[in-house]
Amino acid sequence: MSQPAPKITKDERFAYEAAGNPNATPLIFLHGIGGAARAWRRQLATFSDRFRAIAWDMPGYGGSAPLASVSIAALAEALQQFIEQLGAARPILVGHSIGGMIVQKWLVQSQELAHAVVLAQTSPAFGKADGDWQKSFIAARLGPLDRGETMKSLAPSLVKELVGDDPDPNGMELARECMGSVPEASYRAMMLALIGFDQRSTLGDISVPTLLLSGSKDNNAPAPMMAKTATYIPGAEYVELAGVGHLANLERPDAFDEALGGFLNSLATKRKVTAQ
């Protein structure tokens, strides 16, 4: 697969990869805490024939400048600035994990700017800041770094814990590379940004076409929780990928692309019906 050269926005704050016709509908991919823009290269190749496919390096990742203070709200604001820098009118946003949280937060302020959204393997809430589950989740991920491990040394075990059955070997290699390349400061800041996140009260206000995509073996964003979340979003579609863990687009790229492609095709069909 040819590797697209990383690009940078005019203000030099955000790095990204892109493929496809610059005048086509923007399809913007947001990665998770252990990801990177390049984790979406398979999707850029798959969807660039119909869309302006774009993968964002979140602030503090790849060539993107870090934020002075990291929160989901600040990341949502950065997303809007990124969209404006690209001139990406009415984008379809695909947010994975924390990327999906950022999309949910962004929708509260900017819903009229979106064409549709995909919430992939994400959650509408991380729960109470002082909750036992939340504390143990953060401790399990930051503890090894506190004890002197590095992102590169941790990457193989972190990725292994995230995936389901029979993951694609090439996808796993890319997942380990992305995870091992995350700056430790960015990883820590993103983990801490999860604390207190809660958009459950705004799910009913989402009025754009929405797909929720889960993996049956995902322990971070469990499928039953995602299925329940879908019932709170008016008209939302829900797809569960059997045997898949938390990194669907890398574990089972064909299944992920088929699910996403089906949703995108349904949008095009709806648009034709409306036009008639």
Side-chain angles (χ1 to χ4, degrees), residues 73-264:
L75 289 161
E77 189 177 323
L79 171 61
Q80 178 55 27
Q81 291 161 357
F82 175 64
I83 290 169
E84 289 170 0
Q85 284 285 309
L86 294 180
R90 300 287 320 284
I92 300 166
L93 298 175
V94 181
H96 171 251
S97 199
I98 198 174
M101 294 177 171
I102 295 166
V103 169
Q104 290 174 66
K105 192 74 172 175
W106 177 85
L107 280 172
V108 175
Q109 303 293 333
S110 310
Q111 180 161 226
E112 72 283 358
L113 303 178
H115 183 75
V117 298
V118 178
L119 303 177
Q121 307 187 282
T122 189
S123 169
F126 188 68
K128 299 188 183 110
D130 57 353
D132 289 341
W133 182 87
Q134 290 78 9
K135 284 180 181 171
S136 63
F137 180 93
I138 298 291
R141 281 146 185 81
L142 299 188
L145 294 172
D146 295 337
R147 295 190 290 273
E149 293 269 12
T150 65
M151 288 305 297
K152 189 161 188 182
S153 69
L154 286 172
S157 61
L158 286 173
V159 169
K160 190 175 181 183
E161 286 169 15
L162 290 172
V163 301
D165 304 332
D166 303 317
D168 177 76
N170 292 330
M172 292 306 87
E173 186 179 346
L174 181 52
R176 289 188 292 270
E177 183 202 317
C178 290
M179 183 77 78
S181 302
V182 177
E184 182 180 326
S186 298
Y187 187 80
R188 287 178 176 275
M190 291 289 175
M191 279 291 172
L192 296 175
L194 295 172
I195 297 172
F197 172 77
D198 192 344
Q199 289 300 132
R200 286 175 294 187
S201 65
T202 62
L203 293 174
D205 299 327
I206 297 175
S207 60
V208 297
T210 302
L211 169 67
L212 282 86
L213 186 58
S214 75
S216 70
K217 296 285 185 81
D218 187 347
N219 295 320
N220 281 17
M225 176 275 296
M226 289 208 69
K228 185 177 179 184
T229 301
T231 67
Y232 292 106
I233 300 173
E237 296 179 37
Y238 173 73
V239 174
E240 183 176 315
L241 301 178
V244 174
H246 191 59
L247 305 178
N249 70 300
L250 293 167
E251 291 178 58
R252 302 276 186 88
D254 289 341
F256 181 91
D257 290 358
E258 184 180 346
L260 177 55
F263 176 67
L264 297 173

Side-chain angles (χ1 to χ4, degrees), residues 51-67:
F51 297 91
R52 181 188 181 191
I54 299 159
W56 184 39
D57 266 324
M58 282 198 298
Y61 288 69
S64 291
L67 297 174

